[in-house]
Amino acid sequence: MTHTASSSASKSGTLEPNSLGVTFGLLGDEWTLLLLRVALSGATRYSDFRDRMPISHAVLSGRLERLVDEGLLERHIYQARPARSEYLLTPKGSSIWQLLLAIWTWERRWVTSHSYATPPIRHLTCGKEMSPIYCCHSCGEEACPENVSLSWGPAGGWARSTPGAQTRRRATRGGRTESSAFYPDTMTVFGNRWSAVIVAAAFAGVRRFRDFEAFLGPPPIVLSERLAALCDREILEQVQLTDRPDWSEYRLTRKGSDLFPVLAVVVDWSERWRSPADDAVLKRTHKTCGDEFRGVFVCDHCRATVRGHEVDLSGA
Ligand SMILES: [Zn+2]
Ligand SMILES: [Zn+2]
């Protein structure tokens, strides 16, 4: 991975987020993730969502509309008088189950106090509670950051992979993101336009404050806050090198390293649904088999590849 900013710019002279930046922006919202989870467990009507989520009318309507605009839900009128619509998952919306599975697996492993249930995940095919393993779709080996090589495609670069400021949905107070009620740790990573790319850069080997600043381009005060928030959640740790007292680094903890499948699935999903008109963002190669990398989840009990209809994400 080369740490250079992309030179592509829109006509206005500012960098347009690429498909990955747009995806980070879309997912950086706990209501969107929760709403998709409820939709995957069968909710279609407005009242289904309202009854299953502690959400205001304005917020629910706004999120449903956004997911229709982004092509994850389709509005379907099932009754003419009075007019009643339902919201059906499109194939693009349904395929988000892999990301929810990755987030759920990570939250279950690392986050002990939850205000929202993350019960065991059952593989319906073998009936066992599973800890799904993220593997190369081609050779089946468990995927790890060391075995997936990355290089930017024509639409790549850190700046373009960062969501635009207008996609930031969360209210902030005093410059800090409000803490999230449902998936606070996941939202520390996704609920802010900079955090997900900071974690992605850490996976790509960026360690020093000045390098995060140079490659990603956030204002230093924002970068300090996001690094502090990621250290608070024990996703990164600040390490003072003993032989270089003036030198400190930010490194992924074990909890942070275990986010690899979550971020990789975001890339999988974003690449799968990228418009053919948009250039590729990342080229990923699985070093073990040499094939282009894409991940699949495998059940740790029966070793079968897990498919969307074989996993219960309702949380019931
Ligand atoms: Zn492979
Ligand atoms: Zn199984």
Side-chain angles (χ1 to χ4, degrees):
M1 172 71 74
T2 50
H3 303 308
T4 50
S6 165
S7 59
S8 322
S10 71
K11 290 188 187 93
S12 63
T14 54
L15 290 167
E16 291 283 340
N18 56 28
S19 50
L20 184 58
V22 170
T23 302
F24 279 141
L26 174 69
L27 301 174
D29 177 283
E30 63 180 322
W31 290 119
T32 298
L33 292 176
L34 198 56
L35 200 154
L36 287 167
R37 178 172 156 187
V38 170
L40 279 164
S41 65
T44 56
R45 298 185 178 182
Y46 186 91
S47 55
D48 298 339
F49 292 106
R50 191 196 51 210
D51 294 348
R52 288 155 81 170
M53 297 166 69
I55 190 170
S56 73
H57 168 71
V59 175
L60 177 55
S61 305
R63 294 309 190 279
L64 287 168
E65 220 161 279
R66 177 144 196 239
L67 289 172
V68 170
D69 288 347
E70 297 283 350
L72 282 80
L73 294 175
E74 216 165 50
R75 192 182 285 111
H76 168 244
I77 294 167
Y78 67 88
Q79 182 183 300
R81 253 180 262 156
R84 293 268 186 273
S85 320
E86 58 187 351
Y87 296 88
L88 306 178
L89 282 162
T90 62
K92 182 179 178 181
S94 304
S95 67
I96 208 79
W97 69 269
Q98 278 189 313
L99 176 63
L100 295 181
L101 182 64
I103 289 173
W104 196 327
T105 303
W106 182 77
E107 289 258 346
R108 274 186 59 76
R109 191 169 297 153
W110 293 103
V111 185
T112 46
S113 57
H114 273 105
S115 56
Y116 199 75
T118 47
I121 305 161
R122 198 170 292 283
H123 187 212
L124 301 177
T125 312
C126 70
K128 296 253 171 50
E129 274 177 26
M130 67 170 164
S131 293
I133 307 166
Y134 186 66
C135 298
C136 169
H137 85 288
S138 189
C139 69
E141 185 186 74
E142 181 168 358
C144 61
E146 296 73 34
N147 271 346
V148 180
S149 70
L150 303 173
S151 59
W152 291 121
W158 292 114
R160 293 195 64 192
S161 304
T162 304
Q166 73 282 3
T167 60
R168 180 174 43 182
R169 292 291 165 128
R170 299 195 57 74
T172 57
R173 290 203 189 109
R176 288 192 79 105
T177 307
E178 268 179 48
S179 70
S180 163
F182 298 114
Y183 305 107
D185 288 60
T186 297
M187 281 299 122
T188 302
V189 179
F190 288 114
N192 173 280
R193 66 183 284 235
W194 297 105
S195 300
V197 281
I198 290 172
V199 176
F203 275 110
V206 178
R207 296 276 178 273
R208 300 203 65 197
F209 188 95
R210 64 162 69 151
D211 292 335
F212 283 110
E213 193 184 354
F215 300 137
L216 310 183
I221 186 159
V222 173
L223 178 59
S224 298
E225 282 168 2
R226 296 328 304 163
L227 288 168
L230 290 164
C231 289
D232 280 353
R233 293 280 169 191
E234 297 175 331
I235 290 165
L236 294 178
E237 59 184 345
Q238 193 173 8
V239 180
Q240 199 76 42
L241 300 194
T242 47
D243 52 337
R244 301 249 346 233
D246 59 328
W247 188 292
S248 80
E249 294 188 348
Y250 293 89
R251 293 187 193 157
L252 288 160
T253 60
R254 282 187 57 216
K255 177 180 174 181
S257 302
D258 207 31
L259 277 168
F260 174 70
V262 176
L263 288 178
V265 168
V266 173
V267 178
D268 289 338
W269 188 83
S270 156
E271 276 296 294
R272 177 171 174 190
W273 299 104
R274 175 166 57 82
S275 149
D278 292 340
D279 287 327
V281 174
L282 264 180
K283 181 170 166 47
R284 300 180 298 168
T285 307
H286 193 224
K287 293 179 189 170
T288 309
C289 66
D291 285 351
E292 187 167 350
F293 180 79
R294 180 166 58 78
V296 289
F297 281 105
V298 168
C299 171
D300 60 331
H301 289 285
C302 68
R303 309 301 298 188
T305 300
V306 179
R307 304 193 190 281
H309 62 274
E310 299 167 353
V311 51
D312 178 8
L313 287 170
S314 65

